[in-house]
Amino acid sequence: MAHWATVPQRGTEGVTLPGFRLTNRLIGPWRQQTRNDRRELIEGLLADPAMIPPKYFYDALGCALFEAICELPEYYLTRTEGAIFAAHRETIATLVGQHRQFVDLGAGDCRKGESWLAALRPRRFIAVDIAPAAIEPALSRLAAAHPEIEFTGVITDFSRTLDLGADLDAGPVTFFYPGSSIGNFAPDEALELLAQVHRMCGRGGGLLIGVDAPKDHARLAAAYDDALGVTAAFNRNVLNHVNALLESGFDPAAFAHVAFYNAKASRVEMHLEARRAQCVTVGGRERVFASGERIHTENSYKYTPGHFAEVLRRAGFSDIAVWQDQAGDFAVYYAE
């Protein structure tokens, strides 16, 4: 699972707020972006099999449910990555270097990026996310606590493309992408995003990224289908969000949460399966879901260290270092 906000929002473009600068790339193309997102959502629901892009998980309730998921005993990813960072912070900081530009991708509340400020002492901190509501208070808090750092927020949907050329200077850049969010991208999409990051790193820059690894199928299934049913509620809630956006009339309770590991594709899949036949309205058209029919809501790809290192090399990176927990559940990479 990755933390995506819901849809493009209006906001302040290129305005300096107390302590930081905020640029909203979604303002200019807001209407076209909204039309594109709506069309993508409708086309996915009318397709066979149907699908919903995972960024629609994250309305207000979805965000709260995801925070709860990260605290579940079954969901090892967040705490395992944090333990790797804590155990190897000094070594990682030596490789990364200090006083660089620091780009926090999918920054959200910036807490994970903030944990690196003391070790990396960046001269600039660029938080990138789709949700101004998350970035603005985070940067306001950080700017007040760290007046020696230049803080910038960039509101953009980098699931489509990542272009920070106007926000970076000629110095080296450290990109930070934690949480195994790269796993939500299909392999070709992940490669393209990583290649875009590589082109912006500059001489002496690099990428610090967390990636989940394949493991026992039962543990993977439990991480995405916990005993308390929080992930099931998170998955079904996407239909509430779709209803709000399209007035489609889904009954979330009429769908079962389905999660399993697809070993051939090396990914966890999440689906919603209709418990009974039902008819909804999608983009002005009727769409019948037969009993047992599924809507594909998320993929979460898992990479062995060797496989992901090869992906990084194909994206243009070299000098790849990797750290794992003792069980090999998760891996952190730094690639120059």
Side-chain angles (χ1 to χ4, degrees), residues 17-20 137-151:
L17 300 172
F20 66 95
L139 291 183
S140 179
R141 173 179 57 81
L142 288 174
H146 302 276
E148 74 282 4
I149 300 174
E150 177 187 336
F151 287 94

Side-chain angles (χ1 to χ4, degrees), residues 8 41 44 59 69 71 96 106 108 113 121 134 153 169 184 198 200 208 212 286 313 317 335:
L41 180 58
D59 63 357
I69 287 169
E71 299 298 323
V96 172
R121 299 174 60 195
D169 60 33
N184 291 131
H198 175 262
M200 289 182 282
L208 179 61
D212 197 18
E286 287 190 346
R313 283 189 284 268
F317 290 97

Side-chain angles (χ1 to χ4, degrees), residues 40-80:
E40 175 190 45
L41 180 58
I42 290 171
E43 289 176 353
L45 286 166
L46 294 175
D48 185 17
M51 61 83 63
I52 299 172
K55 64 185 176 182
Y56 292 99
F57 281 131
Y58 297 98
D59 63 357
L61 178 55
C63 288
L65 287 168
F66 182 72
E67 289 181 7
I69 287 169
C70 291
E71 299 298 323
L72 293 170
E74 297 96 331
Y75 197 74
Y76 58 85
L77 288 84
T78 303
R79 62 177 175 272
T80 306

Side-chain angles (χ1 to χ4, degrees), residues 5 19 49 53 62 92 121 132 146 169 178 180 199-200 204 285 287 306:
I92 293 171
R121 299 174 60 195
H146 302 276
D169 60 33
S180 199
R199 290 193 288 270
M200 289 182 282
R285 297 170 58 182
R287 171 63 154 98

Side-chain angles (χ1 to χ4, degrees), residues 23 25 101 124 126 150 152-154 163-169:
T23 301
R25 296 282 161 68
Q101 299 172 92
R124 302 181 69 209
I126 299 97
E150 177 187 336
T152 299
V154 178
D163 182 6
L164 301 177
D167 308 287
L168 301 171
D169 60 33

Side-chain angles (χ1 to χ4, degrees), residues 6 9 11 15 21 27 50 52 93 95 127 142 190 205 235 245 273 286:
T6 156
Q9 303 179 42
V15 170
R21 181 174 177 82
I27 292 178
I52 299 172
L95 286 175
L142 288 174
N235 197 12
L245 295 171
E273 183 176 295
E286 287 190 346

